[in-house]
Amino acid sequence: MRRARAITAAAATLLAIGGAFVNAPSAAAATPTCNTVKAVEGYNKFLIRVPAYSATGSTTCALAQGNSGPAVQELQRALNRCFYNAYGSDKSYWPLAEDGDFGPNTKKALTEAQDYKTDVPADIDGVYGPITRDLLLWRSATHSGCWFF
């Protein structure tokens, strides 16, 4: 009888631990929304302007359709100046309105930029996050030109 209770208790503990792993929030869910812009050192030590999270100053943050504010506006500016002008586009949504609203046109333009910069299908989703941050060119904070993070 004791052995049966011990086995039952052990099984219940394993199920509880396994359930904790299954129900644990993903890392993506913990990524804060970008709400400001920050000048950071990018490739070749050039200062670039990138979206950031104001509470920590981190550039590991996310933007998606429905977001608004200065971080979205900086993304739109970077897409216009560093992608559209460099590679051109015949799509009707280019150039983007730099209005700080992440709408369907910003999502289309971001998806196009992601598709141009990567062959990984999972990275072509129209959502801005750390992977996209590293793929895109960003406006220089100190002079003209665009640079990688």
Side-chain angles (χ1 to χ4, degrees), residues 70-147:
V72 173
Q73 189 174 39
E74 187 57 41
L75 175 62
Q76 291 166 330
R77 286 178 179 152
L79 288 168
N80 278 339
R81 286 169 183 75
C82 302
F83 185 78
Y84 170 72
N85 288 336
Y87 309 111
S89 178
D90 59 355
K91 308 290 190 303
S92 63
Y93 49 85
W94 286 102
L96 292 173
E98 295 175 10
D99 58 6
D101 288 324
F102 197 129
N105 287 344
T106 301
K107 182 175 181 174
K108 288 176 194 174
L110 181 60
T111 301
E112 187 174 334
Q114 290 170 327
D115 187 39
Y116 185 83
K117 291 293 189 179
T118 184
D119 294 326
V120 180
D123 295 340
I124 306 168
D125 58 4
V127 175
Y128 171 84
I131 293 171
T132 297
R133 176 200 63 206
D134 295 347
L135 289 173
L136 296 181
L137 289 167
W138 294 98
R139 296 184 321 129
S140 172
T142 53
H143 61 281
S144 64
C146 298
W147 302 90

